[in-house]
Amino acid sequence: MPTKTKTLLGGLSLIAFAAIALGVITHAAWLAQLDAAASTLATRAIDPMNTALFKVVATFGSPATVIGLTALLCLWCGSSKNRSSAYGLPVCSSAAPPLRKASSY
């Protein structure tokens, strides 16, 4: 993203933040209406399908799950005899080539 665009977006974000902060300080009616509209919109999005979806996302994104799956992947890669994926690409290969026995002359 160009620097000019970043500066413009940053400036607009700062102005929006300042306006909302000023609205909170002065207990502005427009901010209460905006809050009520956002709350209504968020309430309509709650249904069993969305709840189940976000439970799955939260479970797979939890630190315990990520650490556990990473450990299993490392164990699988370390003990696997066949280290290629279904497409023939290396999945768990090391960066160094395998060592060869030195031949004796």
Side-chain angles (χ1 to χ4, degrees), residues 62-75:
S62 71
T65 304
V66 171
I67 291 169
L69 289 175
T70 302
L72 287 174
L73 180 66
C74 290
L75 290 172

Side-chain angles (χ1 to χ4, degrees), residues 3-19:
T3 304
K4 196 172 194 177
T5 305
K6 287 180 185 179
T7 304
L8 179 65
L9 286 175
L12 291 175
S13 298
L14 181 62
I15 291 169
F17 177 79

Side-chain angles (χ1 to χ4, degrees), residues 68-86 89-93:
L69 289 175
T70 302
L72 287 174
L73 180 66
C74 290
L75 290 172
W76 176 76
C77 287
S79 66
S80 177
K81 301 273 188 217
N82 183 6
R83 295 180 183 223
S84 63
S85 69
L89 299 173
V91 175
C92 304
S93 63

Side-chain angles (χ1 to χ4, degrees), residues 36-80:
S39 178
T40 302
L41 185 65
T43 303
R44 279 191 288 174
I46 297 173
D47 65 26
M49 181 64 180
N50 282 348
T51 302
L53 174 71
F54 282 110
K55 279 185 180 180
V56 170
V57 169
T59 299
F60 281 120
S62 71
T65 304
V66 171
I67 291 169
L69 289 175
T70 302
L72 287 174
L73 180 66
C74 290
L75 290 172
W76 176 76
C77 287
S79 66
S80 177

